[in-house]
Amino acid sequence: GSTVGMVAADALAIAVGALLGGWVLRWVGDGLSAGVGLLLAASGLLVMSGWDRGSLAEVSSTITLALVGLGLGMALAPVNDAALADAPQHAHGTASSLVVVSRMVGMVVGLALLTGVGLHRYYEAVDALPREQQTDAQALLDAALLQVHTVFLGAAGAAALTVCAALLVGQGNVPDAVDPPRPVGCLGVQRREVVARGRAARHGLVRAARHAEIPEEQRRAKGHGGQPGRGRGRGAQHDGLTGGLAPRQ
């Protein structure tokens, strides 16, 4: 039951962090928003590297895991926003896809690398045990904890390095403090502007199409007085059936 609660708290914290990161970056920029989130994650992972056998039963462990999830969630929106800001408008879909793929590849490769290093330390710890303790369950559990500590410590180091990278790379991407914050979409796209421009473009096309359907003589007549037939002299009247001009009888 406690494990399920910890996982649920971590997932909820990631969702809240994603929203918080997207809101904060409008004032502080991508680099600082992502850097603060990754710093929280690095701090939490560093604490997790010192967990022992009974740590999962403590409430503080749930808070620590939620802190890590909040920090990781805060880094999602700034990364997407930075990628879309440097990509042309027609390539926004490709840029978003590359961000997702890069994130997935990083998680898989990073977890595999850290697990491999942790397993190496586990086997070293087991080989260092006396022969009579190499089959002891408690001794093997302590060696397994060493593996978990190695994974968490490596993840904390990686998060700390990305904090430096985020602050260095994103230091120039800070919004103008004079301009008020503008509403942004899920991936940094100004949705309201896009919708407004689309509507304006469609309206212009409809007007152009309707203008092309009006006969040339009728357009000239409307341009002289707003009503067909005027501006053509007394010798002309409007033909309501054909929409053209017919001589007055």
Side-chain angles (χ1 to χ4, degrees), residues 2 16 21 23-24 27 36 44 48 59 83 92-93 110 112 122 127 130 138 143 157 163-164 173-174 183 205 215 241:
S2 61
V16 173
W23 181 70
V24 170
W27 284 275
V36 170
M48 292 169 63
V59 179
H92 279 180
Y122 168 77
D127 293 338
Q138 296 300 326
V163 171
C164 300
N173 189 10
V174 179
L205 291 175
L241 296 178

Side-chain angles (χ1 to χ4, degrees), residues 117-207:
V117 175
L119 282 174
H120 178 71
R121 295 199 61 188
Y122 168 77
Y123 289 129
E124 284 184 344
V126 172
D127 293 338
L129 292 173
R131 185 174 299 273
E132 61 274 6
Q133 292 185 1
Q134 291 184 356
T135 55
D136 182 69
Q138 296 300 326
L140 293 177
L141 181 59
D142 292 336
L145 282 175
L146 180 61
Q147 175 191 354
V148 175
H149 291 166
T150 302
V151 173
F152 287 155
L153 189 61
L161 290 177
T162 53
V163 171
C164 300
L167 294 178
L168 291 176
V169 175
Q171 63 180 354
N173 189 10
V174 179
D176 191 356
V178 177
D179 296 335
R182 303 162 63 187
V184 298
C186 294
L187 297 177
V189 180
Q190 304 292 339
R191 288 189 171 183
R192 295 183 181 179
E193 291 186 3
V194 172
V195 172
R197 292 174 182 175
R199 289 177 178 175
R202 289 195 298 269
H203 183 65
L205 291 175
V206 170
R207 291 186 60 183

